[in-house]
Amino acid sequence: MNVDIIRQDIRGLSDDKIFLNNAGSSLMPVHVVDSMIDYLKQEEQFGGYEVANRNAELLESFYDETAKLINCKSSNIAFATSATDAYTKALSSIVFKEGDVIITTIDDYISNQITFISLQKKLNLKIIRTKKRSDHELDLEDLENLIKKHNPKLVAVTHIPTNSGLIQDVESVGEICKKYDVLYLVDACQSIGQMFVDVEKIGCDFLTATGRKFMRGPRGTGFLYVSDKILEQNYAPLLLDMRGANWTEYDNYELFKTAKRFEHWEISYASLLGFTEALKYANTIGIHAIEHYNKGLSERLRGNLRNSGFQVWDQGNNLSSIITFCEPNGDLENIQKVLKENNVFFSVTYKNSALIDFTNKNINGIVRLSPHYFNTVEEIEIVSEILNNSLKSV
């Protein structure tokens, strides 16, 4: 993996700019952007239908590239306009009844938690959250006991919580769900693109992801993985259109066989093409090489921050390319000021976005840095030195 060549593929980089917000929305490679512009120019000349027909084979490669990335078949993949779009379509395919139980974690993404609460309010479901062990990992024994006690309709886990560097043990959760034949939904929004994700090893029924984060695709893109078991059992989103089924009788339809039944017919084909190019880009480099490189960067940055005296809030045995921290007194303002002055791109999360996790940690917010494979060791050291000097001056 040649980082210098990779950096040449990014128009958004410059000598005075360090981009460390890949967990928010990353920088797209040149070819991703150019492919979208070219497609829109074709639509300008010939109209959307004609251009889609001319590019049918290229557009179809989206499913092959996604399948290659996560180790499944192209028939298991549906395009989505976001991870949340994919997530809600998966949920809508499950026939919940009053009193049904959803088991999730205290680290689940804010939008997922709000969706669960919405279902609880509308359908009178019950939400139960698993405990954590003293080492901050999921308490798998507690999870199994909860499954035996409550016979849940669904277990839902976020692979990497967006406000923490923790990588959760989704494979062990999958083994437990398989043992008790419980539906299993994984939010891989932050793991797809920064590390290898294998749906066969995870054993999930559904997995959701976005294009704009570590995949380095455009906003307005994502995907949903649907297992063969779910497809064979005729799960489908609550509200279908002609992308999902064939109208066979006046009052009946026949579901299409693949995960495309979870799509809507009208999408932005320019965005789909851009996401396809981002997938090809990551697959060409190799996700294992990306994961190895990212691990080195994140460990170096996390260690530097701890050595400088910052409070790092990434807790667990297996950590990712998301680094969350604050000053020893909990302050975020000075960190933000210094990073902005030095043209370092980052994000900040406050308590309302991670209510349970941040309450348990007794913090009101964190600064989040998220390096990726186009960042350099030199950039990590520069940012570390900037932050170290800022803490000394306080």
Side-chain angles (χ1 to χ4, degrees), residues 76-133:
N76 298 119
I77 300 299
F79 176 78
T81 58
S82 68
T84 299
D85 174 43
Y87 205 85
T88 54
K89 284 178 178 174
L91 285 174
S92 80
S93 74
I94 302 169
V95 181
F96 290 106
K97 297 178 293 186
E98 184 174 350
D100 280 343
V101 172
I102 296 174
I103 295 179
T104 185
T105 74
I106 65 171
D107 296 302
D108 216 58
Y109 180 51
I110 174 177
S111 290
N112 301 346
Q113 294 278 4
I114 289 172
T115 299
F116 298 148
I117 296 168
S118 176
L119 287 170
Q120 180 177 248
K121 289 177 179 291
K122 290 179 171 65
L123 301 178
N124 198 24
L125 305 184
K126 187 174 183 181
I127 304 167
I128 297 175
R129 300 178 179 92
T130 59
K131 297 176 183 177
K132 277 189 173 183
R133 302 193 311 241

Side-chain angles (χ1 to χ4, degrees), residues 7 30 33 48 55 65 80 136 141 163 170 208 236 262 277 280 305 321 329 345 380:
R7 289 175 68 85
V30 168
V33 179
N55 291 275
E65 292 294 335
H136 309 287
E141 183 179 354
N163 302 305
V170 292
T208 62
F262 285 82
E277 294 301 332
K280 288 179 181 177
L305 292 173
S321 292
N329 63 0
F345 285 68
I380 297 301

Side-chain angles (χ1 to χ4, degrees), residues 283-303:
N283 282 333
T284 299
I285 293 171
I287 197 65
H288 290 289
I290 290 171
E291 179 177 359
H292 177 75
Y293 185 80
N294 284 354
K295 188 173 181 64
L297 290 184
S298 58
E299 287 180 350
R300 179 182 288 262
L301 179 54
R302 195 175 281 116

Side-chain angles (χ1 to χ4, degrees), residues 38-56 59:
D38 177 68
Y39 193 91
L40 288 172
K41 286 181 176 179
Q42 290 183 57
E43 286 191 342
E44 180 184 33
Q45 295 296 319
F46 307 110
Y49 283 16
E50 176 65 22
V51 176
N53 289 335
R54 292 184 181 189
N55 291 275
L59 294 169

Side-chain angles (χ1 to χ4, degrees), residues 254-321:
E254 182 180 342
L255 286 173
F256 291 136
K257 300 299 183 184
T258 73
K260 287 181 182 178
R261 71 175 70 150
F262 285 82
E263 298 179 354
H264 282 147
W265 185 79
E266 184 56 38
I267 59 173
S268 166
Y269 282 98
S271 297
L272 183 147
L273 179 59
F275 192 17
T276 303
E277 294 301 332
L279 288 157
K280 288 179 181 177
Y281 197 89
N283 282 333
T284 299
I285 293 171
I287 197 65
H288 290 289
I290 290 171
E291 179 177 359
H292 177 75
Y293 185 80
N294 284 354
K295 188 173 181 64
L297 290 184
S298 58
E299 287 180 350
R300 179 182 288 262
L301 179 54
R302 195 175 281 116
N304 287 350
L305 292 173
R306 285 196 176 110
N307 291 337
S308 294
F310 288 96
Q311 180 65 60
V312 177
W313 288 106
D314 307 319
Q315 300 171 335
N317 300 326
N318 193 11
L319 301 178
S320 70
S321 292

Side-chain angles (χ1 to χ4, degrees), residues 100-253:
D100 280 343
V101 172
I102 296 174
I103 295 179
T104 185
T105 74
I106 65 171
D107 296 302
D108 216 58
Y109 180 51
I110 174 177
S111 290
N112 301 346
Q113 294 278 4
I114 289 172
T115 299
F116 298 148
I117 296 168
S118 176
L119 287 170
Q120 180 177 248
K121 289 177 179 291
K122 290 179 171 65
L123 301 178
N124 198 24
L125 305 184
K126 187 174 183 181
I127 304 167
I128 297 175
R129 300 178 179 92
T130 59
K131 297 176 183 177
K132 277 189 173 183
R133 302 193 311 241
S134 59
D135 62 358
H136 309 287
E137 298 289 333
L138 280 175
D139 190 329
L140 298 172
E141 183 179 354
D142 180 57
L143 172 63
E144 186 164 5
N145 288 334
L146 289 173
I147 289 174
K148 288 190 287 187
K149 180 178 179 180
H150 297 283
N151 188 27
K153 177 73 79 170
L154 175 72
V155 170
V157 178
T158 295
H159 195 183
I160 298 178
T162 192
N163 302 305
S164 165
L166 174 67
I167 302 174
Q168 306 211 83
D169 187 2
V170 292
E171 291 184 15
S172 293
V173 174
E175 292 173 3
I176 295 171
C177 289
K178 182 178 180 180
K179 179 180 178 181
Y180 295 96
D181 194 25
V182 179
L183 289 173
Y184 182 29
L185 168 60
V186 173
D187 179 342
C189 196
Q190 293 290 8
S191 53
I192 292 291
Q194 71 151 298
M195 60 181 288
F196 181 50
V197 176
D198 187 335
V199 291
E200 288 298 316
K201 289 184 177 179
I202 295 172
C204 52
D205 297 295
F206 301 99
L207 181 139
T208 62
T210 186
R212 65 179 161 86
K213 296 181 184 290
F214 289 96
M215 272 312 309
R216 301 182 60 208
R219 294 196 74 173
T221 62
F223 69 80
L224 170 65
Y225 160 82
V226 186
S227 71
D228 285 340
K229 180 184 79 172
I230 292 298
L231 292 174
E232 290 164 4
Q233 293 179 1
N234 288 332
Y235 279 73
L238 179 62
L239 300 175
L240 286 159
D241 72 5
M242 64 191 206
R243 184 70 163 174
N246 184 34
W247 191 15
T248 54
E249 300 175 44
Y250 284 6
D251 293 310
N252 202 4
Y253 58 77

